[in-house]
């Protein structure tokens, strides 16, 4: 799918996302991880851990956090920040849901 900056880009239907399980989506060469919350909110971050590049969509999800499958770094899905004592961050993305369709906004 072709990336259009600052415009909502369709990435999935809400029913395709399971609570507690990440889903990888790709927009052009940008790989994102989506995480559906208990309240049906969806959080999106870049899909690479800041430590060694572990695939976050494959990580263990606990509420608003994901644990990297490589070295167990805990990443806050709202802020994109690694939880201390680890240091680093991933980019977060705005998500909107319209009639069960999930959209991401990729900013410059």
């Amino acid at each position: 799918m072709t990336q259009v900056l600052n415009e909502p880009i369709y990435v999935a239907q809400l029913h395709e996302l399971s609570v507690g399980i990440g889903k990888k989506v790709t927009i052009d060469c940008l790989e994102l991880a989506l995480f559906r919350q208990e309240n049906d909110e969806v959080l999106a971050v870049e899909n690479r851990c800041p430590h060694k590049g572990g695939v976050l969509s494959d990580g263990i999800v606990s509420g608003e956090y994901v644990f990297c499958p490589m070295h167990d770094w805990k990443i806050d899905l709202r802020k994109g920040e690694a939880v201390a004592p680890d240091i680093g961050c991933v980019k977060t993305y705005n998500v909107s849901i319209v009639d069960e369709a999930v959209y991401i906004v990729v900013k410059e």
Side-chain angles (χ1 to χ4, degrees), residues 5-46:
L5 298 179
N6 300 317
E7 294 291 325
I9 300 167
Y10 171 81
V11 291
Q13 288 292 311
L14 188 60
H15 72 269
E16 297 172 333
L17 307 174
S18 299
V19 174
I21 299 174
K23 178 175 176 69
K24 178 182 88 166
V25 297
T26 304
I27 300 171
D28 283 348
C29 60
L30 180 64
E31 191 173 295
L32 306 177
L34 304 179
F35 300 94
R36 182 176 177 175
Q37 301 296 291
E38 293 278 342
N39 65 359
D40 288 338
E41 178 182 20
V42 177
L43 302 174
V45 298
E46 65 180 298

Side-chain angles (χ1 to χ4, degrees), residues 39-74:
N39 65 359
D40 288 338
E41 178 182 20
V42 177
L43 302 174
V45 298
E46 65 180 298
N47 198 26
R48 296 285 172 212
C49 178
H51 176 229
K52 297 276 186 176
V55 180
L56 295 177
S57 60
D58 291 342
I60 296 172
V61 180
S62 178
E64 296 181 357
Y65 298 92
V66 63
F67 292 83
C68 177
M70 286 183 71
H71 298 103
D72 209 33
W73 276 36
K74 184 178 182 182

